[in-house]
Amino acid sequence: MKKQTVFLLALSILSFLGHLFIFSRMPDTVPIHWALNGEPNGYANKLATLFLALLPLLMLGLFKVVPKIDPRGKNYQKHEKAYDVFCLCLVLLLIAVNWISNGAILGYPVSISRLVPAGVGILLIAVGNYMPQLRTNYTMGIKNPWTLESEWVWKKTHAMGGMIFCLMGIVMALNGIFQTVLMSRIALGTVLGGVLFLELYSYLLYRKWKKGGEGEP
């Protein structure tokens, strides 16, 4: 196994064991959702926390299985670095979210409403920086009928997607720093607007490709 895989596997196992160690200290009912002001507004049995603690291991396993079952699995060798970065950032974020949540459950002064958006913002920036490296596949990236139909449309869409994801990440991180209702709405609007823009952008590229404007239809 790669050194990164061994590191993430060991860290995920230690994180889960650490969660089991503090599990008995948790109340039977724990918060699972927090409002913008940091106050919990959703609750569940503490058994629900076991899934969150186990999620990094499950995600790491999924990252290892996907290239073997994707019909375009050979392309993962072409974007191996980007795939490894995605895996690293997502698993680390899931571990961090688990322990941020644990801290809040146990009564420590942890601001979930700030830390989680900031973490998601960092993830989006990392994804954006490596998104242009992705090659066509059925699992990762901006997958729709137009990008999967044309290699040229895929490349152009993901080049634009890299910039859009970085923008979304910056706004999301700012949402974590400047926690207001307005900022949260701006962040949500930026993410939704970015996704819709990329869908439209890829469609327009596809129409251009079909007319022979670029590439070979």
Side-chain angles (χ1 to χ4, degrees):
M1 289 192 292
K2 294 180 180 179
K3 291 181 180 179
Q4 175 179 299
T5 302
V6 173
F7 167 72
L8 291 177
L9 180 61
L11 190 62
S12 298
I13 292 173
L14 287 174
S15 176
F16 183 69
L17 292 176
H19 186 89
L20 292 179
F21 181 75
I22 66 171
F23 185 71
S24 62
R25 296 171 51 193
M26 293 182 176
D28 292 335
T29 301
V30 299
I32 58 171
H33 190 271
W34 286 260
L36 292 177
N37 60 3
E39 294 297 322
N41 59 5
Y43 296 85
N45 188 283
K46 70 177 182 179
L47 291 174
T49 65
L50 293 175
F51 175 74
L52 182 60
L54 193 59
L55 197 54
L57 276 170
L58 297 176
M59 190 58 61
L60 183 59
L62 183 62
F63 267 101
K64 295 305 169 185
V65 171
V66 161
K68 302 181 186 302
I69 62 176
D70 193 313
R72 297 183 180 178
K74 291 183 179 180
N75 280 346
Y76 283 80
Q77 298 176 4
K78 300 177 182 178
H79 59 224
E80 184 177 11
K81 184 176 181 180
Y83 192 69
D84 287 345
V85 169
F86 295 166
C87 177
L88 175 67
C89 292
L90 183 56
V91 172
L92 289 179
L93 176 63
L94 291 174
I95 292 173
V97 169
N98 176 50
W99 284 99
I100 291 170
S101 176
N102 287 344
I105 289 171
L106 295 176
Y108 292 99
V110 177
S111 179
I112 288 187
S113 60
R114 291 183 181 275
L115 293 175
V116 173
V120 172
I122 293 172
L123 174 65
L124 290 174
I125 292 171
V127 169
N129 273 281
Y130 285 90
M131 181 173 283
Q133 296 184 19
L134 290 179
R135 296 297 179 261
T136 55
N137 68 91
Y138 289 98
T139 309
M140 295 185 62
I142 304 165
K143 305 175 301 300
N144 58 41
W146 313 300
T147 56
L148 292 174
E149 180 71 15
S150 164
E151 184 79 23
W152 179 78
V153 175
W154 175 282
K155 289 181 179 180
K156 295 286 288 185
T157 300
H158 283 75
M160 176 61 72
M163 293 185 286
I164 297 298
F165 267 66
C166 284
L167 174 61
M168 292 190 298
I170 292 171
V171 175
M172 187 64 71
L174 290 174
N175 179 40
I177 297 172
F178 306 105
Q179 186 57 235
T180 65
V181 174
L182 177 60
M183 194 65 215
S184 296
R185 290 175 178 173
I186 292 174
L188 178 60
T190 301
V191 172
L192 292 177
V195 171
L196 291 174
F197 170 78
L198 289 172
E199 290 294 315
L200 177 61
Y201 181 73
S202 64
Y203 173 69
L204 294 176
L205 286 174
Y206 173 76
R207 290 186 59 183
K208 183 177 182 180
W209 174 75
K210 286 292 287 185
K211 292 178 180 179
E214 296 287 348
E216 295 182 3

